[in-house]
Amino acid sequence: MGDRKEKYLTFVEKLVNLTHSEPFDKESYVRLISDICLEYRIAKGDTEFYATLLMEKRGVGEAFCDYDNGKAAKVLAKVRIVSDTKAVVIGTLYCEDGDEERSPEEMDEIYTMLKIIIGFVSRKRLLRILESFGFMDSEGYRNLRALNRYLDVENTENGLGGKVAFHIDLHNFTMVNKDIGRQNGNIVLYRYYSKLQEVIGDTGIIIRLGGDKFVGICDRSVKRAVFDVFSGAVITYDDEKNKRIKVSAAAGVFMIPNPYMYNDPGDIMDKIMIASNIAKNNSGDSIVVFNEKIKESKNHIKRVQLDFRNALVEEEYAVYYQPKVDIDTKKVMGAEALCRWIKNNEVIPPISFIPILELNNDICDLDFYMLEHVCMHLRRWIDEGREVVRVSVNFSRKHLADIDFLPHIVSIVDKYNIPHEYIEVELTETTTDVLFSDLRRVVCGLQEIGIWTAVDDFGVGYSSLNLIKDIPWNVLKIDKSFVPKDTESEDSISNKMFKHVVALAKDIGINCVVEGVETVSQLDVLRRNGCNIAQGYFFDRPLPVEEFENRLDMKVYQ
Ligand code: C2E
Ligand code: MG
Ligand code: MG
């Protein structure tokens, strides 16, 4: 065996050992490469790495030079390998000018060693890529792991203090997808994210939580610019046709105090999520900054939810009745059952707990509780020989998807043997098509068994005329915000709309009840428009059961 052959075998052995050693001994590796190059009269050796075939085509990759004596003149050998994951590694060796011909044997040896080297480079680079995949989702957004790593690194004395943390949820992104198509929607999403990334620069991080929700941290110095993007950024999604769309977001923000260190990264997440939830449900302000008051409300929410079961068992929820009055005869024609929470002798209004119980399905149990108590009262009144009126009970739209909703109502009403026509179910309008068809099914079902139905709060939100065209309601309850104020002139838009809605309802044959009648002149508006049932403070506020019983017995308002 010749001298070179022996050296060659040693080189190979060392190469294999070094490229598989853990930890990697870079110094020895560089020395070995340089020994090999000297031995084989190689002037320069470099490697290129491309993560994908497409990136190779576009020339987007990384190049490393392992050895260079400055005299490289021509290519001596070149090897290109494509990994299973379609990453590309190219190794190129150069020799000096006038280099004498090499034997095929020598060239074989050179090629073998080059292959070992680029095999190693590809493994090493791929590991790095794989690592970066761990911090990216499949669509190229940084993910929650990246945020956790960032927080972990920055959670030092002066790392996070003074920065701005935020959670955002894009406005109407479902609609955007519908309008411009999913594919364009994805482009918009990525470009919006990139825009934020650009504004934040290296002062922080932005990651995608999923869907159209992102979390980020940035320096206060870029806060203004970041907030501007939240308020609205114009994003081009079709460069050729210059198609653009304005994207904005509901943001929950936490101004991290300085100094600041957390015990749990969830401390920051909790705050921005709470603020973001509020921002999302706010019709006005879309950027909500977390503060102690918000924390208070968070505690309140927890308390209401925790107390709920026990309060049901203890019957802390009371039925108050607000009379519905015929404005001509002044007779009590009906009543609405409204819930009050009596806790430690304090009367808590529904606005303080109903929206919270609607966050989960607790509201459904409360609604049936209310129905049951109304039935109990009606049963007693009937047994006492009182002249009773129809009572309406509010049901959350959360019930609509429940296919047992109807039988459940009937079972309670029948348990107390209440004639169906004394019960009215109030439901509000819905905004989605699916719920609309559920709403229709429920109302038709109730109609069939003789229980009355009312569409509540008509005129607020997005009441559509289909709501009264396609669903056979008994009663239309016109919301108080729709009733013209005393100060409004007779030909104000409010007055005109009120007039026409009442006329329309009458024409179709739906009964009208007007909510929130407070003054004589409002009563006049009703009278002028031939709408004769009013519910409001003008006659009575919602009353405890004993007081309402007096109204039942009184029969006519003076
Ligand atoms: P709603 O069903 O539209 O009830 C009418 C609301 O208007 C009641 O508020 C009533 O007190 C108020 N109101 C009546 N007359 C007047 C007036 O002349 N002026 C003004 N400014 N307000 C008047 P309340 O009792 O605070 O209830 C608020 C809402 O809470 C109800 O609105 C209903 O959506 C919900 N709610 C109450 N009880 C229940 C329940 O048992 N189940 C469900 N799901 N929701 C309930
Ligand atoms: Mg109601
Ligand atoms: Mg109402």
Side-chain angles (χ1 to χ4, degrees):
M1 202 158 36
D3 189 32
R4 204 200 63 236
K5 192 82 182 175
E6 219 166 276
K7 274 191 179 159
Y8 163 69
L9 289 176
T10 322
F11 282 148
V12 170
E13 194 188 340
K14 280 189 178 168
L15 258 183
V16 171
N17 284 340
L18 268 176
T19 54
H20 285 83
S21 68
E22 204 47 69
F24 174 59
D25 180 355
K26 192 165 178 198
E27 233 170 82
S28 309
Y29 175 77
V30 171
R31 218 175 312 122
L32 177 66
I33 296 287
S34 130
D35 288 349
I36 295 173
C37 289
L38 279 173
E39 178 66 29
Y40 285 85
R41 304 180 313 285
I42 288 163
K44 182 182 165 189
D46 60 30
T47 43
E48 295 156 61
F49 180 86
Y50 303 97
T52 64
L53 288 166
L54 189 69
M55 286 168 98
E56 182 196 16
K57 222 164 143 185
R58 292 186 182 154
V60 184
E62 294 167 284
F64 312 90
C65 182
D66 293 319
Y67 180 80
D68 192 354
N69 67 5
K71 298 178 194 160
K74 56 185 181 198
V75 172
L76 173 69
K78 192 172 187 127
V79 170
R80 174 179 175 273
I81 60 167
V82 180
S83 76
D84 291 346
T85 57
K86 303 290 177 234
V88 180
V89 188
I90 300 169
T92 315
L93 300 177
Y94 304 80
C95 58
E96 293 176 21
D97 216 5
D99 204 351
E100 70 219 50
E101 281 289 304
R102 291 156 201 258
S103 67
E105 229 182 20
E106 194 180 351
M107 283 311 288
D108 267 357
E109 291 166 12
I110 287 173
Y111 271 111
T112 306
M113 288 187 289
L114 183 56
K115 278 181 195 157
I116 296 174
I117 290 168
I118 63 169
F120 163 64
V121 171
S122 105
R123 262 200 333 274
K124 217 171 138 201
R125 299 267 81 209
L126 272 176
L127 273 180
R128 259 191 56 189
I129 295 261
L130 277 180
E131 193 212 26
S132 79
F133 275 165
F135 296 107
M136 302 257 226
D137 68 14
S138 57
E139 289 161 78
Y141 296 90
R142 278 179 202 272
N143 61 16
L144 195 57
R145 243 173 309 189
L147 178 71
N148 284 334
R149 186 179 58 168
Y150 174 87
L151 288 174
D152 209 24
V153 173
E154 296 293 321
N155 193 31
T156 58
E157 200 108 319
N158 303 311
L160 293 170
K163 295 216 171 199
V164 182
F166 58 84
H167 172 275
I168 58 169
D169 191 327
L170 302 199
H171 281 137
N172 302 324
F173 210 72
T174 321
M175 282 312 285
V176 171
N177 271 331
K178 240 187 199 165
D179 285 353
I180 64 174
R182 248 201 124 67
Q183 222 171 348
N184 285 327
N186 286 343
I187 297 176
V188 170
L189 205 62
Y190 196 82
R191 291 193 175 175
Y192 188 79
Y193 160 83
S194 305
K195 183 146 212 150
L196 277 171
Q197 210 166 30
E198 192 185 306
V199 175
I200 294 169
D202 55 12
T203 78
I205 185 172
I206 171 140
I207 66 115
R208 184 192 190 192
L209 267 191
D212 57 354
K213 296 174 183 56
F214 299 87
V215 170
I217 291 185
C218 68
D219 210 87
R220 277 192 204 211
S221 58
V222 297
K223 184 186 109 191
R224 201 52 283 146
V226 169
F227 280 19
D228 282 347
V229 178
F230 296 164
S231 304
V234 176
I235 306 287
T236 305
Y237 59 89
D238 186 332
D239 295 317
E240 265 167 41
K241 296 186 187 136
N242 195 25
K243 290 204 165 154
R244 303 181 305 167
I245 188 169
K246 192 161 179 184
V247 183
S248 59
V253 174
F254 173 47
M255 300 290 185
I256 304 177
N258 200 7
Y260 178 87
M261 269 175 88
Y262 60 72
N263 293 322
D264 181 334
D267 293 351
I268 293 182
M269 286 302 266
D270 276 356
K271 293 184 172 77
I272 56 179
M273 295 300 274
I274 295 168
S276 176
N277 264 337
I278 296 173
K280 205 176 160 195
N281 295 324
N282 256 3
S283 44
D285 226 352
S286 267
I287 300 179
V288 170
V289 178
F290 178 88
N291 59 31
E292 287 308 308
K293 224 164 82 201
I294 288 180
K295 198 162 113 198
E296 243 330 274
S297 76
K298 175 81 177 175
N299 288 340
H300 172 70
I301 291 174
K302 248 194 212 146
R303 236 180 359 252
V304 169
Q305 289 177 335
L306 278 177
D307 285 356
F308 177 66
R309 292 287 143 197
N310 190 49
L312 263 193
V313 175
E314 299 293 329
E315 305 207 324
E316 288 176 6
Y317 300 107
V319 185
Y320 273 47
Y321 291 90
Q322 187 174 34
K324 297 174 191 168
V325 182
D326 182 316
I327 60 175
D328 295 326
T329 63
K330 301 273 171 55
K331 265 183 77 173
V332 179
M333 301 302 289
E336 175 173 12
L338 293 158
C339 187
R340 298 291 182 267
W341 186 9
I342 319 280
K343 196 175 168 188
N344 307 327
N345 289 324
E346 191 195 344
V347 181
I348 305 172
I351 183 72
S352 301
F353 60 92
I354 297 250
I356 296 170
L357 299 178
E358 275 186 326
L359 292 175
N360 49 34
N361 275 343
D362 284 347
I363 187 65
C364 297
D365 293 334
L366 180 69
D367 289 344
F368 283 123
Y369 167 104
M370 290 289 289
L371 175 67
E372 177 134 21
H373 281 73
V374 165
C375 288
M376 275 153 61
H377 289 151
L378 277 167
R379 182 74 263 149
R380 183 163 56 77
W381 296 333
I382 293 170
D383 291 346
E384 287 168 353
R386 283 191 158 102
E387 206 177 300
V388 293
V389 292
R390 181 178 303 115
V391 176
S392 62
V393 179
N394 291 282
F395 280 89
S396 160
R397 51 178 103 161
K398 286 256 167 180
H399 293 278
L400 292 181
D402 173 12
I403 44 165
D404 293 323
F405 181 42
L406 242 130
H408 198 163
I409 290 183
V410 177
S411 74
I412 293 175
V413 175
D414 288 354
K415 182 167 139 195
Y416 294 92
N417 199 16
I418 307 296
H420 290 185
E421 80 254 28
Y422 285 128
I423 300 295
E424 181 174 313
V425 168
E426 287 193 18
L427 293 159
T428 51
E429 75 219 60
T430 55
T431 39
T432 69
D433 293 346
V434 178
L435 283 180
F436 189 87
S437 67
D438 281 332
L439 189 60
R440 191 165 189 284
R441 175 179 52 77
V442 165
V443 173
C444 291
L446 289 166
Q447 188 88 196
E448 252 167 51
I449 53 171
I451 288 179
W452 276 47
T453 52
V455 51
D456 202 358
D457 302 339
F458 189 83
V460 279
Y462 299 95
S463 334
S464 86
L465 289 178
N466 286 340
L467 189 72
I468 46 177
K469 180 175 139 276
D470 295 339
I471 301 183
W473 304 96
N474 297 96
V475 176
L476 188 73
K477 291 194 80 178
I478 300 179
D479 188 71
K480 48 185 168 292
S481 61
F482 218 44
V483 183
K485 310 269 171 314
D486 286 359
T487 47
E488 270 161 317
S489 72
E490 210 169 308
D491 57 11
S492 69
I493 294 185
S494 266
N495 251 312
K496 282 187 182 151
M497 282 178 76
F498 183 79
K499 183 167 128 191
H500 288 291
V501 166
V502 171
L504 181 71
K506 275 178 88 172
D507 222 15
I508 303 177
I510 308 180
N511 302 286
C512 269
V513 172
V514 183
E515 297 182 284
V517 177
E518 293 180 353
T519 63
V520 184
S521 58
Q522 284 178 329
L523 214 59
D524 278 344
V525 175
L526 262 66
R527 212 168 266 132
R528 268 204 310 276
N529 290 294
C531 177
N532 63 329
I533 308 284
Q535 177 186 340
Y537 296 170
F538 180 80
F539 292 106
D540 264 317
R541 291 179 176 254
L543 306 167
V545 62
E546 310 77 39
E547 279 186 52
F548 177 66
E549 284 168 359
N550 291 337
R551 297 295 187 275
L552 273 182
D553 297 342
M554 172 186 86
K555 296 208 171 70
V556 173
Y557 279 85
Q558 297 311 311

